[in-house]
Amino acid sequence: MTGLLIGGQAPDFCLRDQFGQDIRLADFRGSKAVAVFFYPFAFSGVCTGELSGIRDRLAEFITFDTEVVAVSCDPIFALRAFADSDGLNFSLLSDFWPHGEAARAYGVFNEALGCANRATFLIGADGVVVDTFAS
């Protein structure tokens, strides 16, 4: 379960990607839908498989004018190594500091483990949550 309701406004965030560039959710508003994937840790078995699957199907998302971003609480240096190691050619965003702030805003931060729970949010070009999936 996530903390956001379908039909509600998605919380904005500004996070650094694996190249150190700021990515702000609001910058896509009015032009692209955004698929936001929260995942626990870079280089873990399930997360590696999940993000490789996204990489392999990235063209399907882009066809529908959708930006794809994946968010974890790992530092940007770990995300850069993860992206380079696995050929991940989409934005990996660091929710490292303030630690888990974006994950908390989306209701998916796991306090006991200090990481995001696995969850996906589909956000329309208008900034409204279209669908959510959590496991």
Side-chain angles (χ1 to χ4, degrees), residues 40-58:
F41 299 109
F43 293 108
S44 62
V46 173
C47 296
T48 298
E50 178 184 33
L51 295 182
S52 293
I54 294 168
R55 175 201 63 213
D56 295 345
R57 298 181 68 190
L58 193 59

Side-chain angles (χ1 to χ4, degrees), residues 4 16 66 75 91 104:
L4 297 183
R16 293 223 163 150
T66 301
S91 295
R104 280 186 182 90

Side-chain angles (χ1 to χ4, degrees), residues 9-88:
Q9 194 69 32
D12 192 22
F13 56 74
C14 182
L15 300 172
R16 293 223 163 150
D17 70 7
Q18 69 266 37
F19 303 107
Q21 300 297 310
D22 287 340
I23 304 292
R24 183 177 301 280
L25 182 63
D27 289 346
F28 300 108
R29 204 163 284 150
S31 64
K32 282 187 166 188
V34 183
V36 180
F37 297 91
F38 284 91
Y39 64 100
F41 299 109
F43 293 108
S44 62
V46 173
C47 296
T48 298
E50 178 184 33
L51 295 182
S52 293
I54 294 168
R55 175 201 63 213
D56 295 345
R57 298 181 68 190
L58 193 59
E60 295 175 36
F61 289 103
I62 294 171
T63 299
F64 297 108
D65 295 324
T66 301
E67 187 72 21
V68 173
V69 300
V71 182
S72 76
C73 293
D74 295 299
I76 61 171
F77 306 107
L79 296 180
R80 178 64 187 266
F82 187 39
D84 289 349
S85 171
D86 290 355
L88 303 175

